[in-house]
Amino acid sequence: MTFSNYTLAGHLFDGAGVELSPGKWRLATMHGRLLKAVPFDVTNKESYNSATFERKGYGVKAGFEDKGNSYSVSLFKAKDDVGSLAFIPVDATLSPKENVSAAVAIRQTIWKRLFADVEYSVSALNRDVRSDKTTADSSTEGRYNFLQSWLAPTATTTYFDALQSGIGFTGNFYSIQLRYERVAPGYTTLGAYNVINDLRNITVAPTLQLFQGKLNLAANAGVQDNNLDGDKTSTTRRWVGSGNLSFMPSEKWIFNTSYSNFSTFTRVRPLTDPFFNNPLDSLNFYQVNTTYNGMAIYSFGSKEVKHTVMSNLSYQKASDKQWQPQGEQQQISAFYTGNMGYTFNQVPKGFSFTAGGNYYLQEAPDMRTTFMGPSMNASQMLMNKKLRLSASSAYNITEATMSGNTTKSAVWNAGLQASFTPKANEPAAP
């Protein structure tokens, strides 16, 4: 579930979540375990990197939407269980954390085709819940203390904020936006795997539709800089941009290609398991250079039976750090992704089946890692399409070569899902 990019942002959890949309209102809530406790292995120093406390969290989001305008507020809290690890080595750097984050978002039409949006987020992070509570937080000089009722300040508590906003104009076949984004240095929320911080983006984002909407162009270009607090020895300022082109020559074909050099954090796991802790089966890196992506979709069949074939290829040139100190050589890696899939859909019966395969390759200095394997998914709609039952399965083989040593592993993953969407009764015919 996602509340905001700076509160709860797609973090997998084992628990329950509910999303409701009665009328113009939008409500969402969740509660569950975000991380499973992984103990230390004193005989293996490498286990220190994967050891974790059990982490539980809950959150709520409420919003209202009407005629393109929207207003929402979200709150998320997570805390590590100190007692979930029976033993912590004296030389370990792991500490139990606690976090509270909140966000307020508004999108408002100002005048006819002129609109504006803004989202402001704050996060309070206690890096060690074992530290003593204090009446004042020296690290923030009293800022954002309205969060104290949710997270009392300590000597290890730090407060952050983030702001993203824009103002734009929409025409008949075009639009243009001026956007501003600022993320405080060190911004952290336990509801996201990582947040790129200490950056400021000022960009212009135009879009254009041609040939009766068959060709769509979008761009976003501007300036990005870091060292917002001025406490680093150097400041990086660079031009950033992204572009997207989609073309639909007919109802059967869709083509899409994109380019970007914005800073983003990527976490790749070719399996749907939030508690699998083999570091060879996940990749983390900061992308600060270029990303190319291409996709093609072909659909055919009848109104009752539809077939879809999809292929996707992407290439990323990435560095392992968001900002590199001056004079220090960057560790550059190349990342390739390929996906293919086929979907069979019986529309009247509400049945669909998808089969596909994926391939991931990362090449870095003295390291090469690959993921590959097939996947399947089947779903069936019941009760007048109010109830959806789904089953999925994936098998992935990992091969990692580091410093001349090769390690192989395989993981089979399966899942079941049920979702129920109640629908309002249709009014009786007069």
Side-chain angles (χ1 to χ4, degrees), residues 244-262:
N244 182 278
L245 184 152
S246 62
F247 180 52
M248 189 174 65
S250 67
E251 294 182 356
K252 293 184 177 182
W253 285 100
I254 299 176
F255 299 94
N256 183 276
T257 181
S258 62
Y259 163 86
S260 175
N261 73 336
F262 277 86

Side-chain angles (χ1 to χ4, degrees), residues 91 214 301 362 401:
D91 57 342
K214 293 183 177 181
Q362 183 193 24
T401 301

